[in-house]
């Protein structure tokens, strides 16, 4: 699974993410993580994206996401 994380959107609290797996490309927003001061936390968000990527890979494998 290859992921590309876009720029944080403070208005929606999300980052756009592109997931690529087995020739299928899927794009969706993922909720971003904020630190204790309310600022965007890139490392925690990347970890969250990896968790979401596991689910996307599963759905691609099951044929539920076809790109």
């Amino acid at each position: 699974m290859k992921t590309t994380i876009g720029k944080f959107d403070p208005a929606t609290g999300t980052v756009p993410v592109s997931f690529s797996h087995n020739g299928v490309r899927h794009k969706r927003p993922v909720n971003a993580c904020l630190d204790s001061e309310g600022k965007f936390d890139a490392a925690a968000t990347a970890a969250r994206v990896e968790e979401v990527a596991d689910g996307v890979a599963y759905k691609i494998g099951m044929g539920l996401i076809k790109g």
Side-chain angles (χ1 to χ4, degrees):
M1 170 70 66
K2 180 181 182 211
T3 60
T4 304
I5 302 171
K7 185 179 177 184
F8 172 62
D9 181 352
T12 62
T14 63
V15 291
V17 181
S18 176
F19 302 90
S20 297
H21 183 66
N22 291 340
V24 176
R25 188 169 188 200
H26 176 67
K27 295 180 181 181
R28 61 161 281 194
V30 173
N31 290 333
C33 297
L34 306 178
D35 64 16
S36 61
E37 297 175 0
K39 295 181 182 176
F40 174 66
D41 186 330
T45 299
R48 176 172 283 166
V49 167
E50 288 305 313
E51 292 172 351
V52 172
D54 289 340
V56 171
Y58 176 79
K59 290 175 184 175
I60 289 172
M62 295 297 294
L64 301 171
I65 297 175
K66 299 178 183 188

